Amino acid sequence: MPEHNVDLVVLGGGSGGYACALRAAELGLSVVLVEKDKLGGTCLHRGCIPTKALLHAAEVADAAREGEQFGVRSSVAGIDMAGVNAYKDGIVGRLYKGLQGLVASRKIQLVAGAGTFVAPSAVEVNGDRYVGRHVVLATGSYARSLPDLEIGGRIITSDQALTLDEVPRRVVVLGGGVIGVEFASVWKSFGAEVTIVEALPRLVPAEDEFASKQLERAFRRRKIAFKTGVKFTGAEQTDSQVTISLESGEEIEADLLLVAVGRGPNTTGHGYEQAGVAMERGFIQVDDRLRTNLPNVHAVGDVVAGLQLAHRGFAQGIFVAEDIAGLNPPVIDEAGIPRVTYCEPEVASVGLTEQQARERHGEIQTLTYDLGGNGKSQILRTSGAIKLVKTGAAGTPGPVVGIHMVGARVGELIGEAQLIYNWDAQAEDVASLIHAHPTQNEALGEAHLALAGKPLHTHS
């Protein structure tokens, strides 16, 4: 078998893998990047980018439908899914071409094929062996289903949902997490009748309870139905519909069932267990520097338990490349990774939930600022709020350890929010900064003014 020796072999060309390869090459390492599908992985082709394109098309549809509120006589004649898909695919195609050029410009050797990791330091692809002084495992994730729930026909995952050629009339979304509420939001904007089924007590259950309540209130206004705290028991489909059964005995008929119960680590079939990589529940076990139990073997992205976010993968990939190059980067604080759910309204957060903060710090203080007091939010006709969580009792110093936001476009505020958390800022630090008026960003400043005990456009 032909053998090729390099500094770094990366198995998987998704967000974590290609970020690691790019940074390593930038630092002067010779790099081989192995990818069996398309460079860019799930995020670019079946996740972040295409779903956000759908969500923007949905926002345009809502704006046209609601134009009368702003004195604009507009309406929606219908949704042309061929046109929507062309718009979506055009964005993906341009980004894909740009990424291919970027990888080539860094002189990274891109190997197409399904790679198998062979301990201690090699990946075999198409009859060739690529041996690295270091190996990074970055094979990403897949759309999960439930036991005995077969995907096919009218039962789909997000992968198939991205390629629909028409808008379904009635949809049941199984799962009220990020993927579920985003697709529910899209389809409602496109004119579908949507019902979300979530086994846990609230929508977006990984978020602060405040955010769940705000989102649920908004979804009720939008007439997106949801059933929380109820378990799915089965689904039967015919050529014309699918019938979903719940533990309560209720049955719901729909044209489609979207299974949005999360994503699983794509770790089978790559030789990991055979090579002796320590695993737990399908995830690769790593230490805080993303090292596996095998020497000079790291893992990044969705194969590592934790937040399944593209920007987490980017950060981990860069971290590992710099660690291998001897730069000794600081360990990534998972709580400091910003989180955004791009439904309407958006949910954005960073840091600890109120419950997590109480468990970690004991006494805390919280403050909620309603977007009703923010001029730009009123211009946009959005409702929502910002919740701050700080350590210590009211009137005592302490950093802001959690920021939770719900409202249209609040994802654009997460940049400042993550700086506040990651730089251990206190309310007074942010209150002294001047925020432009009228902006939604100003709402962050107003919330911190109030937390610092000197509210402006809020009641004390």
Side-chain angles (χ1 to χ4, degrees):
M1 179 180 293
E3 189 169 292
H4 313 271
N5 293 276
V6 291
D7 294 321
L8 175 64
V9 177
V10 181
L11 179 53
S15 302
Y18 83 68
C20 185
L22 288 171
R23 182 63 176 135
E26 191 175 60
L27 292 170
L29 277 64
S30 55
V31 182
V32 164
L33 179 59
V34 180
E35 172 55 51
K36 68 177 181 180
D37 193 4
K38 290 183 176 180
L39 186 65
T42 294
C43 174
L44 177 53
H45 300 284
R46 296 179 300 281
C48 320
I49 299 301
T51 57
K52 279 42 177 189
L54 289 182
L55 282 154
H56 182 63
E59 183 182 3
V60 172
D62 286 336
R65 188 179 296 112
E66 298 163 3
E68 197 71 32
Q69 297 180 22
F70 308 93
V72 178
R73 294 173 183 169
S74 60
S75 62
V76 177
I79 303 298
D80 172 16
M81 283 307 298
V84 170
N85 287 330
Y87 156 70
K88 164 180 65 70
D89 295 341
I91 294 166
V92 171
R94 288 189 293 275
L95 290 172
Y96 178 45
K97 184 176 180 180
L99 180 58
Q100 288 176 304
L102 187 60
V103 166
S105 73
R106 300 279 175 89
K107 296 182 171 52
I108 295 167
Q109 183 180 354
L110 181 60
V111 177
T116 301
F117 174 61
V118 183
S121 58
V123 173
E124 294 181 356
V125 192
N126 302 329
D128 281 65
R129 174 175 289 195
Y130 298 88
V131 180
R133 289 193 302 107
H134 298 270
V135 174
V136 173
L137 309 177
T139 42
S141 61
Y142 65 94
R144 290 175 53 213
S145 184
L146 296 176
D148 303 319
L149 181 56
E150 187 175 345
I151 303 301
R154 294 183 176 276
I155 303 175
I156 65 174
T157 69
S158 57
D159 290 348
Q160 294 80 45
L162 285 168
T163 60
L164 295 179
D165 56 8
E166 63 181 15
V167 178
R169 186 169 60 89
R170 303 166 301 169
V171 188
V172 171
V173 177
L174 182 57
V178 174
I179 297 171
V181 298
E182 288 188 350
F183 272 101
S185 188
V186 166
W187 282 326
K188 181 62 181 178
S189 297
F190 284 174
E193 180 183 307
V194 184
T195 301
I196 303 170
V197 175
E198 169 57 55
L200 292 174
R202 52 192 175 89
L203 297 182
V204 287
E207 294 289 342
D208 190 273
E209 188 173 354
F210 145 87
S212 296
K213 289 180 178 178
Q214 290 277 332
L215 182 63
E216 289 172 3
R217 188 178 302 136
F219 272 18
R220 287 190 191 98
R221 285 197 297 268
R222 294 189 63 196
K223 294 181 171 52
I224 297 174
F226 54 90
K227 300 176 185 295
T228 56
V230 60
K231 291 185 179 179
F232 165 89
T233 56
E236 293 185 2
Q237 61 176 311
T238 65
D239 290 341
S240 60
Q241 69 177 35
V242 56
T243 302
I244 294 89
S245 302
L246 306 180
E247 192 176 51
S248 61
E250 183 180 1
E251 290 187 342
I252 309 172
E253 294 180 350
D255 301 312
L256 284 178
L257 170 62
L258 171 66
V259 181
V261 293
R263 299 187 64 83
N266 186 16
T267 52
T268 59
H270 300 290
Y272 297 161
E273 290 187 273
Q274 296 88 335
V277 177
M279 314 275 286
E280 184 176 356
R281 296 180 297 109
F283 292 97
I284 297 173
Q285 290 187 284
V286 296
D287 63 12
D288 61 357
R289 302 198 74 80
L290 301 170
R291 297 173 294 203
T292 71
N293 60 308
L294 302 181
N296 300 320
V297 178
H298 293 71
V300 301
D302 288 356
V303 294
V304 177
L307 297 167
Q308 292 181 313
L309 300 170
H311 47 281
R312 174 184 182 247
F314 294 147
Q316 289 183 337
I318 293 168
F319 172 89
V320 167
E322 293 182 350
D323 211 34
I324 288 171
L327 300 185
N328 194 33
V331 169
I332 296 170
D333 175 9
E334 290 264 324
I337 298 173
R339 310 173 289 273
V340 184
T341 303
Y342 295 88
C343 51
E344 172 52 43
E346 291 182 350
V347 179
S349 62
V350 65
L352 307 179
T353 65
E354 179 177 343
Q355 181 179 345
Q356 290 168 339
R358 289 191 190 281
E359 292 170 355
R360 185 176 300 187
H361 298 288
E363 190 166 18
I364 62 169
Q365 180 188 2
T366 68
L367 181 136
T368 300
Y369 171 80
D370 195 294
L371 292 183
N374 177 253
K376 187 60 180 284
S377 294
Q378 292 305 298
I379 291 167
L380 295 173
R381 299 295 291 268
T382 187
S383 59
I386 294 174
K387 177 179 177 179
L388 305 180
V389 183
K390 70 168 278 289
T391 63
T396 64
V400 174
V401 295
I403 301 174
H404 308 274
M405 304 180 283
V406 180
R409 306 185 186 181
V410 294
E412 299 302 324
L413 308 184
I414 202 65
E416 181 179 359
Q418 67 127 341
L419 293 178
I420 292 167
Y421 171 85
N422 284 294
W423 287 349
D424 294 323
Q426 299 196 18
E428 292 78 5
D429 299 325
V430 184
S432 66
L433 303 175
I434 299 173
H435 292 77
H437 174 76
T439 63
Q440 281 190 293
N441 181 246
E442 183 181 18
L444 266 178
E446 293 269 358
H448 285 84
L449 276 166
L451 186 61
K454 41 185 177 182
L456 185 58
H457 295 101
T458 55
H459 296 286
S460 57

